[in-house]
Amino acid sequence: MHTADYFIQKLEMTPHPEGGFFKENETSSDHTLVTNDETGTSKSRKLWTSIYFLLRDGEVSNFHRLESDEMWYYHAGSSLTIYVITPEGELLTKELGLDMEKGEQPQVLVPKGTIFGSAMNKEGFALVGCMVSPGFVFEDFELIDRADLLENYPQHKETIKKLSMETT
């Protein structure tokens, strides 16, 4: 049985700004034009990018938002809970794992523009893959401040406190 440290070392993972560890592992050689709905400006993005992502026991991926869809794939370890706040303010939870009898799914889509994070709610670690399309760039990454989340979604106070930090 492999450990979290085994995967962090063998996959050459580094700390991620949102929490956990990651390693970019694949990127598309193709590009696509992405148009900003608000400004009408276009920018070129890789068609898709992919990373390994790992959380250890008790770790979280803090609430953040992307301008692209992100598909999560389970690889190894314990299941992982993905929390999504929809634009309408609804809190959804999805279990990423292989025990489908307990409601886990081997892959989960997080739609662009939603606020999301993840947490280890079981002992152990979770090694997952995340593919973003159009491809991920850090300028499209927004870490959401706890105070802003609490102001906009006070009904989700407990989850927000668990999956956020003060950024200002």
Side-chain angles (χ1 to χ4, degrees):
M1 177 77 130
H2 296 298
T3 65
D5 289 340
Y6 170 85
F7 287 113
I8 292 168
Q9 179 185 10
K10 293 295 184 185
L11 296 174
E12 300 175 353
M13 301 175 91
T14 58
H16 196 291
E18 75 196 41
F21 294 83
F22 82 110
K23 171 69 174 185
E24 186 176 279
N25 61 331
E26 298 288 340
T27 61
S28 173
S29 59
D30 293 328
H31 288 77
T32 187
L33 270 181
V34 178
T35 303
N36 183 307
D37 292 338
E38 294 175 15
T39 65
T41 58
S42 295
K43 53 190 171 186
S44 178
R45 289 286 182 262
K46 291 193 179 233
L47 190 57
W48 55 265
T49 57
S50 181
I51 65 168
Y52 291 118
F53 184 71
L54 185 141
L55 286 180
R56 297 178 294 194
D57 191 14
E59 292 182 333
V60 303
S61 162
N62 287 286
F63 275 127
H64 59 288
R65 182 175 17 225
L66 300 179
E67 293 182 16
S68 299
D69 291 337
E70 183 170 41
M71 182 67 79
W72 289 56
Y73 302 93
Y74 174 83
H75 290 310
S78 300
S79 63
L80 176 74
T81 306
I82 300 171
Y83 299 84
V84 177
I85 300 175
T86 68
E88 299 77 31
E90 182 181 5
L91 177 65
L92 307 174
T93 59
K94 304 277 185 167
E95 294 296 321
L96 187 65
L98 297 179
D99 193 341
M100 289 172 261
E101 299 300 319
K102 292 185 178 176
E104 296 175 6
Q105 301 170 357
Q107 62 186 43
V108 170
L109 175 67
V110 176
K112 69 179 182 176
T114 58
I115 296 168
F116 69 102
S118 59
M120 287 297 304
N121 292 321
K122 295 183 178 176
E123 290 184 17
F125 69 93
L127 174 65
V128 303
C130 299
M131 180 179 280
V132 176
S133 179
F136 176 83
V137 292
F138 268 103
E139 69 189 60
D140 293 344
F141 171 86
E142 178 187 7
L143 192 61
I144 313 292
D145 183 71
R146 178 181 289 165
D148 292 339
L149 288 166
L150 290 171
E151 180 179 327
N152 291 310
Y153 310 104
Q155 69 274 29
H156 307 309
K157 181 179 180 179
E158 304 252 338
T159 303
I160 289 169
K161 285 189 170 185
K162 178 177 180 174
L163 295 175
S164 66
M165 57 187 168
E166 296 292 338
T167 58
T168 55

